[in-house]
Amino acid sequence: MPTQTFFNLPEEKRERITEAAMSEFSAYPFAQASIARIIEQAGIPRGSFYQYFKNLKDLYKYIFNLAVEKKLQYFEDRIPNLHGEGFDFFQILHRLFMVGIEFAQEHPELLALGDRFIKDNNQKLREEVLAEQNPKSLDFYGEMLRKGYELGQLDPTTDFTAALLMMQALNKALLDAYLTLSQNSQGSILEDSRYLDLIDKFLYLFAHGLEKRVVSNE
């Protein structure tokens, strides 16, 4: 994480540095990222960089922390019944995926950052970043699950941990689908019937599973 010196900087300067770093990490895998390009774009001396961050990895992990926090706050702002009255687990989950795409379209630089991260072959760094950031998304999904169970909207015999991991995997699967479809989409992916249909089908499988249902003749 950055030093206190960084947080003491004027907001405009902090934003200039983080925007330069976001641009760099979105364009290059970590092994090819350059402090020189970041400081040139941010307009700061090289010596100042090391007053703010231990090294390039320190900055990289900070940028990911900002990205995750920004996305979670986006969810909070755009899903008013996420915590309050009127909570419906599957309606909220559906809305969550739609809002996630809205976020991606409004913040293409963060989408590019995540895509670059997924494709990066630096396994050790990936594990470090995920170890820091995964608990945030798991807490977010976990709170939804707990509320669903408490309100009797979910089968109490199902395993909480398994459901939690499935929600996280479902989110990644839809992100991958978004990246694939958006490359060939002529307009907004939110207007693409293929993607909207995929969300419905994924959620149906999540809610009902793959087991064949026996129809009673009685």
Side-chain angles (χ1 to χ4, degrees):
M1 287 294 113
T3 65
Q4 189 58 48
T5 302
F6 174 78
F7 291 114
N8 289 339
L9 292 173
E11 182 178 358
E12 183 275 332
K13 190 170 185 178
R14 292 200 312 272
E15 289 182 355
R16 205 166 68 236
I17 295 170
T18 55
E19 287 174 4
M22 184 77 68
S23 176
E24 182 71 12
F25 295 136
S26 298
Y28 299 94
F30 181 76
Q32 297 174 22
S34 164
I35 291 177
R37 285 192 295 262
I38 293 173
I39 63 175
E40 180 180 4
Q41 185 175 342
I44 62 171
R46 192 177 188 90
S48 295
F49 178 90
Y50 291 103
Q51 292 178 3
Y52 308 146
F53 304 95
K54 295 177 183 177
N55 47 40
L56 190 63
K57 183 169 75 171
D58 192 32
L59 174 57
Y60 185 80
K61 292 166 77 172
Y62 173 65
I63 291 300
F64 261 91
N65 183 67
L66 286 181
V68 171
E69 293 290 344
K70 191 169 189 176
K71 186 172 184 179
L72 292 178
Q73 187 59 53
Y74 191 92
F75 287 153
E76 296 281 351
D77 294 341
R78 283 162 177 76
I79 309 178
N81 54 347
L82 184 60
H83 304 294
E85 293 182 6
F87 179 92
D88 182 292
F89 180 84
F90 287 103
Q91 286 184 7
I92 293 290
L93 190 56
H94 185 277
R95 178 62 181 150
L96 194 66
F97 293 135
M98 299 296 287
V99 169
I101 298 309
E102 293 172 8
F103 179 82
Q105 293 186 328
E106 287 186 26
H107 301 281
E109 74 287 357
L110 296 182
L111 180 64
L113 178 70
D115 189 36
R116 180 68 64 183
F117 174 75
I118 291 170
K119 296 174 180 175
D120 201 307
N121 59 10
N122 188 331
Q123 186 64 28
K124 185 174 185 300
L125 179 62
R126 281 166 50 83
E127 289 175 356
E128 286 185 36
V129 172
L130 289 173
E132 292 182 3
Q133 301 306 326
N134 268 348
K136 296 176 184 177
S137 64
L138 290 176
D139 285 346
F140 183 86
Y141 289 133
E143 184 178 347
M144 282 184 60
L145 277 171
R146 279 188 287 272
K147 196 169 184 67
Y149 282 121
E150 289 169 3
L151 293 174
Q153 297 173 359
L154 302 176
D155 182 352
T157 66
T158 56
D159 184 76
F160 176 87
T161 301
L164 185 59
L165 294 176
M166 284 181 66
M167 288 178 71
Q168 191 177 46
L170 182 57
N171 181 63
K172 183 181 183 305
L174 284 169
L175 176 59
D176 290 343
Y178 170 83
L179 291 169
T180 300
L181 291 174
S182 62
Q183 292 173 0
N184 302 314
S185 179
Q186 299 301 312
S188 169
I189 195 71
L190 289 173
E191 299 171 358
D192 190 324
S193 60
R194 296 171 300 169
Y195 186 77
L196 301 181
D197 187 49
L198 195 59
I199 289 179
D200 290 338
K201 288 176 177 176
F202 274 6
L203 288 177
Y204 179 87
L205 286 174
F206 182 67
H208 302 288
L210 292 171
E211 184 177 9
K212 182 178 179 179
R213 279 156 180 72
V214 178
V215 179
S216 175
N217 294 321
E218 295 180 4

